[in-house]
Amino acid sequence: MRTLPDIGIVGAGIAGLHLGLMLRQHDVPVTIYTDKPAAALANGRLLNSVAHHAPTIKREKALGVHYWPVEQYGYSCHHHYVGGPRPLVFRGDFDEWSSAIDYRLYLPKLTEAFEERGGQLEVRMLQAEDVEPLAERHDLLVVAAGRGAFASLFPRRPELSPYERPQRVLSVGTYRGIAYSEPKGVTISASPGHGELLEIPMYTAAGFTTALLFENVPGGDLEILGKRRYDDDPKAYERLVLDKLATHHPRTFERVDPAQFELTSPLDILQGALTPTVRQDYAKLPNGKYALAIGDVHTVVDPVIGQGANSASHSAWVTGEEILADYGFDELFCRRVAARRADVVLGAAQWTNLMLAPPPEHLLRMFGAMDENKAIADEFTNNFDYPDRQWRILATAERTGEFLARRS
Amino acid sequence: MRTLPDIGIVGAGIAGLHLGLMLRQHDVPVTIYTDKPAAALANGRLLNSVAHHAPTIKREKALGVHYWPVEQYGYSCHHHYVGGPRPLVFRGDFDEWSSAIDYRLYLPKLTEAFEERGGQLEVRMLQAEDVEPLAERHDLLVVAAGRGAFASLFPRRPELSPYERPQRVLSVGTYRGIAYSEPKGVTISASPGHGELLEIPMYTAAGFTTALLFENVPGGDLEILGKRRYDDDPKAYERLVLDKLATHHPRTFERVDPAQFELTSPLDILQGALTPTVRQDYAKLPNGKYALAIGDVHTVVDPVIGQGANSASHSAWVTGEEILADYGFDELFCRRVAARRADVVLGAAQWTNLMLAPPPEHLLRMFGAMDENKAIADEFTNNFDYPDRQWRILATAERTGEFLARRS
Ligand SMILES: Cc1cc2nc3c(=O)[nH]c(=O)nc-3n(C[C@H](O)[C@H](O)[C@H](O)COP(=O)(O)OP(=O)(O)OC[C@H]3O[C@@H](n4cnc5c(N)ncnc54)[C@H](O)[C@@H]3O)c2cc1C
Ligand SMILES: Cc1cc2nc3c(=O)[nH]c(=O)nc-3n(C[C@H](O)[C@H](O)[C@H](O)COP(=O)(O)OP(=O)(O)OC[C@H]3O[C@@H](n4cnc5c(N)ncnc54)[C@H](O)[C@@H]3O)c2cc1C
């Protein structure tokens, strides 16, 4: 006889849902609290432009929620373009494919699966003062509420949070009129001093579209894409996008058909900015119980290298395994989750933060090596799946030097 | 082309040798510095009475140094005796056998293998001030010097070191005249308030002998075994041992043949005491390089549940894997070793420290359950191989309660 814990989860994003689904596979009673019904998400504004990498797709398969087969919806590579006087153009191939499905399709479908499998869903807006009574109701409360409401429960860790403000001003939208790259892949285009473009083959309610995620440096020539509101003059905004693509991100521009180019629908654009922040792994509540943070409420990364959701899913997975294996939900439990996920989750955060900084010499060396050596570009690309490995290569100039010495 | 780091190791105990042997399997240049030639160990005083558990034996096999096949030299179980008005007597079986080989045989044989396989051995007595120049000579310096000389390099971690002084006064010797238990196993006998006896079937230069490791509570009736010097009057000491066995550890006493009973030789006894201490994982040297601590110099545990050498070997293994996988020997490297070994190494320390304390209620409940339920006794016994798992069961009363609820 196995006694089963009762788990409460705040938040129905990827973190909360992957954890909830995993626990339901083991018959653990789970309640997810969320402020928005799935239908509101489905019909709402674009949430993000998330690419899932192979480890996340493996978890989806294990959870029985891989509804968009990666061979059909996914892509196989990264096309890199680094602008400048002597542009670098090279490709890195994944061993296993990634894919990007609009979260307005993805999250509602997983929410449905969660409920079908006996998960409880309570739709209500929670406040900070609800946390303690909720924790009373369950053996463990996991907070997976994203970067909003509950962040203050988990103090910021300054030693892992080098930035006080956003490093990029974002504009992300799904567009038609852009031919996919060959082979189908994400194009990562950097315009030094101005920011990056991630061009992502994304499946949405409108079918196969292209997400353009502009990561614009504050003060640079592209900042305006994040600042000028699309809604004020949609056509003018689209012309602005085309104009900036032509100047800064030519590899994507050359695949645009200007006659067809437009946002797929007025809700399919999101503009804003976020401050990368790593927070404490858990909080001790006044009643003596612990609340564990997973996903964005624990670690917010800038989306410039597409790590946040993958990291959130990893965190959910580790948490689920520990819930199933452990005998209590005390500080020892929380610390063990923290220790087990640290390499991947903090690796993702640290690598991302490096990519936001003015590129140090050794990162430029790395790009140079990728341009010259396909195997290195492939390894770099595969390490989007393993941010801990990537960080171990990129953390210092010495490490990158040693990595390159071994590979050449 | 793989560039190979050059590794220096201070200490030729199990920690230094397991690490050195592992690195030699991958052609990594290694120098071990030690203050004693192997021959001095071989002909010297008893060092300890170490039992190796299955994970350590697996590592020996992987290293090609499993010279005393466990099926022939090992044992299969723990016989428990807990004295008191209503003594508990029960047995726990291992899934995989353990074994105890005299380190005066074991360490010299592994040292020989290390040198045969191209490892460098430098016999010299080092001082604290030698550490920095040695670190200069190698890409990484690993300190595996046991609980003596270099401990001060790695500050004590008070939150993990609850004791300021020894909790047991030890007397360990190898004896003849004790028939092995059936099935062959270690007997763990507790005399509440006075201490424990570990009776270990140990293979030594004298053949199959029995190690009696008396773990005596300071101030208790058995303390004298650690305090009275054997050498002052060997026969009287042996009579004292017999006398104390009869009173406190009857399950062992009943297998003694008093006519045959004696120490196997005058050097085969060791008396003393140690303070359980967990130290920092690594130190930054003034020259900017890092020295990593493994084995007793990092974590000294009382031998009451036989964890120190197994923990040291685990630490060596994790360190070796990280040396082979990583690109630099900086703080990130040291932290990763620390994080990866923490569950096993600190689990061993915390579990051991619990066993040294006056037994809390939940530990007594656990013993009661083991007495009644063989499966629980077997699981407890197998967890000598996995101190992290054991600690997760025993860390709090709630955890033990939950564990027992699930198992019954
Ligand atoms: C433009 C963009 C592109 C991105 N691209 C990628 C990418 O390519 N790859 C990648 O891995 N990551 C990417 N990310 C990051 C990724 O979107 C997030 O890391 C991830 O979705 C976070 O998931 P989560 O479950 O932690 O939080 P969320 O998805 O934010 O979920 C939070 C949940 O909590 C609920 N909630 C919040 N407050 C309350 C409250 N007060 N009461 C009740 N419920 C509440 C919400 O309704 C929601 O259900 C991108 C992000 C952006 C913005
Ligand atoms: C009685 C007893 C019973 C035990 N039973 C068990 C058991 O059943 N199971 C278990 O797992 N553990 C047991 N232990 C613990 C185990 O013996 C130790 O944890 C283990 O041997 C430590 O190994 P090490 O390599 O870290 O250090 P050590 O074996 O102490 O090796 C240290 C090395 O460093 C060298 N050195 C030290 N100082 C210097 C210097 N200044 N210059 C140069 N070289 C130096 C030494 O010569 C030696 O080679 C027991 C210990 C005792 C005392």
Side-chain angles (χ1 to χ4, degrees):
Chain A
M1 248 288 294
R2 172 94 167 69
T3 64
L4 291 171
D6 179 298
I7 308 296
I9 301 173
V10 182
I14 184 171
L17 286 167
H18 278 198
L19 174 58
L21 286 161
M22 183 180 182
L23 294 174
R24 286 308 306 148
Q25 281 189 325
H26 295 86
D27 296 325
V28 174
V30 189
T31 308
I32 295 185
Y33 304 88
T34 180
D35 57 358
K36 285 185 215 72
L41 287 188
N43 302 312
R45 178 173 291 283
L46 181 70
L47 292 162
N48 46 41
S49 55
V50 172
H52 285 180
H53 300 303
T56 300
I57 290 171
K58 237 172 250 159
R59 289 186 286 266
E60 289 171 357
K61 288 181 178 168
L63 295 172
V65 295
H66 186 60
Y67 296 115
W68 293 272
V70 65
E71 313 77 39
Q72 195 178 335
Y73 293 86
Y75 59 87
S76 67
C77 65
H78 283 170
H79 302 276
H80 285 271
Y81 173 82
V82 184
R86 223 178 42 78
L88 304 180
V89 184
F90 56 90
R91 190 179 95 211
D93 289 323
F94 280 107
D95 289 340
E96 297 170 279
W97 288 29
S98 299
S99 91
I101 308 295
D102 191 333
Y103 265 31
R104 292 171 297 178
L105 303 176
Y106 186 82
L107 297 178
K109 192 89 178 115
L110 267 65
T111 303
E112 186 187 313
F114 173 72
E115 290 199 84
E116 272 170 21
R117 297 171 189 185
Q120 295 297 311
L121 194 79
E122 272 193 35
V123 178
R124 51 188 266 218
M125 165 68 84
L126 299 170
Q127 315 292 337
E129 55 271 28
D130 297 318
V131 167
E132 206 173 349
L134 276 192
E136 281 301 340
R137 231 196 258 174
H138 301 281
D139 292 314
L140 172 68
L141 188 70
V142 179
V143 181
R147 59 200 148 90
F150 299 103
S152 59
L153 199 58
F154 307 100
R156 177 171 177 273
R157 294 169 69 181
E159 73 285 10
L160 290 165
S161 308
Y163 302 121
E164 306 272 350
R165 58 188 62 81
Q167 300 301 299
R168 296 290 186 274
V169 185
L170 310 183
S171 165
V172 58
T174 57
Y175 294 86
R176 53 182 134 248
I178 308 176
Y180 284 157
S181 56
E182 245 320 303
K184 192 175 169 188
V186 161
T187 294
I188 304 179
S189 170
S191 176
H194 302 288
E196 302 78 13
L197 167 68
L198 278 85
E199 176 215 321
I200 306 161
M202 191 159 122
Y203 186 76
T204 72
F208 285 102
T209 69
T210 298
L212 297 181
L213 167 55
F214 289 96
E215 292 264 336
N216 310 303
V217 174
D221 180 46
L222 290 161
E223 183 182 24
I224 191 170
L225 289 173
K227 289 281 163 85
R228 181 179 297 174
R229 308 321 301 173
Y230 166 85
D231 295 329
D232 292 347
D233 185 344
K235 285 297 147 202
Y237 191 88
E238 286 165 359
R239 279 195 306 275
L240 181 69
V241 168
L242 272 188
D243 186 49
K244 296 301 183 192
L245 277 182
T247 315
H248 291 277
H249 302 299
R251 301 293 288 193
T252 296
F253 182 72
E254 67 196 23
R255 279 180 282 102
V256 173
D257 173 355
Q260 303 280 324
F261 184 77
E262 62 176 357
L263 202 68
T264 44
S265 107
L267 283 177
D268 292 350
I269 185 165
L270 182 73
Q271 297 173 286
L274 50 81
T275 303
T277 309
V278 176
R279 300 183 171 280
Q280 297 292 347
D281 291 274
Y282 57 89
K284 187 173 184 174
L285 304 175
N287 63 7
K289 296 189 107 180
Y290 288 84
L292 180 74
I294 65 172
D296 275 12
V297 73
H298 172 237
T299 310
V300 181
V301 297
D302 186 283
V304 67
I305 46 170
Q307 293 295 319
N310 290 283
S311 172
S313 165
H314 176 81
S315 217
W317 197 262
V318 167
T319 301
E321 284 182 344
E322 291 300 319
I323 288 173
L324 295 170
D326 211 349
Y327 302 103
F329 303 113
D330 49 12
E331 189 161 17
L332 180 58
F333 166 83
C334 294
R335 281 206 183 149
R336 196 168 149 90
V337 170
R340 276 195 55 198
R341 72 183 173 188
D343 53 352
V344 167
V345 171
L346 302 183
Q350 291 173 295
W351 172 32
T352 301
N353 288 336
L354 176 72
M355 303 304 278
L356 296 174
E361 166 63 27
H362 69 276
L363 190 58
L364 298 176
R365 254 191 88 196
M366 185 75 180
F367 282 122
M370 287 162 73
D371 186 41
E372 281 167 20
N373 182 331
K374 176 73 165 40
I376 294 179
D378 290 348
E379 187 166 350
F380 183 87
T381 301
N382 273 298
N383 282 347
F384 275 69
D385 298 0
Y386 306 106
D388 51 327
R389 296 188 197 160
Q390 195 83 304
W391 179 239
R392 295 170 82 181
I393 294 169
L394 295 176
T396 64
E398 291 71 28
R399 286 175 168 267
T400 302
E402 175 62 21
F403 169 79
L404 292 176
R406 285 194 206 167
R407 291 298 182 276
S408 61
Chain B
M1 248 288 293
R2 171 93 166 70
T3 63
L4 291 171
D6 180 297
I7 308 295
I9 301 173
V10 182
I14 184 171
L17 286 167
H18 279 198
L19 174 58
L21 286 160
M22 182 179 181
L23 295 175
R24 286 307 305 146
Q25 282 189 324
H26 296 86
D27 297 324
V28 173
V30 188
T31 308
I32 294 184
Y33 303 88
T34 179
D35 57 357
K36 286 184 216 69
L41 286 189
N43 302 313
R45 179 172 291 282
L46 181 69
L47 293 163
N48 46 39
S49 56
V50 172
H52 285 179
H53 299 304
T56 301
I57 290 171
K58 237 171 254 160
R59 288 185 286 266
E60 288 170 358
K61 288 181 179 169
L63 295 173
V65 295
H66 186 58
Y67 296 114
W68 294 270
V70 65
E71 313 78 40
Q72 196 177 334
Y73 292 86
Y75 59 87
S76 68
C77 64
H78 284 171
H79 302 275
H80 286 270
Y81 173 82
V82 184
R86 222 176 45 76
L88 303 180
V89 186
F90 56 89
R91 190 178 96 211
D93 289 323
F94 280 107
D95 290 339
E96 297 170 279
W97 288 29
S98 298
S99 93
I101 308 295
D102 191 332
Y103 265 31
R104 293 170 297 179
L105 303 177
Y106 186 82
L107 296 178
K109 191 87 178 117
L110 267 64
T111 304
E112 186 187 313
F114 172 73
E115 290 198 86
E116 273 170 22
R117 298 172 190 185
Q120 296 297 313
L121 195 78
E122 273 193 33
V123 178
R124 54 188 262 221
M125 166 68 83
L126 298 170
Q127 315 293 337
E129 55 271 27
D130 297 319
V131 167
E132 205 172 349
L134 276 192
E136 282 300 340
R137 230 196 259 175
H138 301 281
D139 292 312
L140 173 69
L141 188 70
V142 178
V143 181
R147 59 202 148 88
F150 298 103
S152 59
L153 199 58
F154 307 100
R156 178 172 176 272
R157 294 168 69 180
E159 72 286 9
L160 290 165
S161 308
Y163 302 120
E164 307 271 349
R165 57 188 63 80
Q167 301 301 299
R168 297 289 186 273
V169 185
L170 310 183
S171 163
V172 59
T174 57
Y175 294 87
R176 54 183 132 246
I178 309 177
Y180 283 158
S181 56
E182 244 320 302
K184 190 174 169 189
V186 161
T187 294
I188 304 178
S189 170
S191 176
H194 302 288
E196 302 78 12
L197 168 67
L198 278 85
E199 177 215 321
I200 305 160
M202 191 160 123
Y203 186 77
T204 74
F208 285 100
T209 70
T210 298
L212 297 181
L213 166 54
F214 289 96
E215 291 265 337
N216 310 304
V217 174
D221 181 47
L222 290 162
E223 182 181 25
I224 190 171
L225 289 174
K227 291 279 164 87
R228 182 178 298 172
R229 307 320 304 170
Y230 165 86
D231 295 330
D232 291 349
D233 186 345
K235 285 296 148 204
Y237 191 87
E238 287 165 358
R239 279 196 304 275
L240 181 68
V241 167
L242 272 188
D243 187 47
K244 296 299 185 192
L245 276 182
T247 314
H248 291 276
H249 302 298
R251 302 291 289 191
T252 296
F253 182 72
E254 68 196 24
R255 279 179 282 103
V256 172
D257 173 355
Q260 303 281 325
F261 184 79
E262 61 175 359
L263 202 68
T264 44
S265 107
L267 282 178
D268 293 349
I269 185 166
L270 181 73
Q271 296 173 286
L274 51 82
T275 303
T277 308
V278 176
R279 299 182 173 279
Q280 296 292 348
D281 292 275
Y282 57 90
K284 185 173 184 173
L285 304 176
N287 63 6
K289 295 189 109 180
Y290 287 84
L292 179 74
I294 66 172
D296 275 11
V297 73
H298 172 237
T299 310
V300 181
V301 297
D302 187 282
V304 67
I305 45 169
Q307 293 295 319
N310 290 283
S311 173
S313 165
H314 175 81
S315 217
W317 197 262
V318 167
T319 301
E321 286 182 342
E322 292 298 320
I323 288 172
L324 295 170
D326 211 350
Y327 301 103
F329 303 113
D330 48 13
E331 189 161 17
L332 180 58
F333 166 84
C334 293
R335 282 206 182 150
R336 196 169 148 90
V337 170
R340 275 195 57 198
R341 72 183 173 189
D343 54 351
V344 167
V345 171
L346 303 183
Q350 291 174 295
W351 171 32
T352 301
N353 288 336
L354 176 72
M355 303 305 278
L356 295 173
E361 166 62 27
H362 70 276
L363 190 57
L364 299 175
R365 255 191 88 195
M366 185 77 179
F367 282 122
M370 287 162 74
D371 187 40
E372 281 166 21
N373 181 332
K374 175 74 166 34
I376 293 178
D378 289 348
E379 188 166 349
F380 183 87
T381 301
N382 273 298
N383 282 347
F384 275 70
D385 298 0
Y386 306 106
D388 52 328
R389 296 185 197 162
Q390 196 83 305
W391 179 238
R392 294 171 82 183
I393 294 169
L394 295 175
T396 64
E398 291 71 28
R399 286 174 168 269
T400 302
E402 175 63 21
F403 169 78
L404 292 176
R406 285 193 205 168
R407 291 298 182 276
S408 61

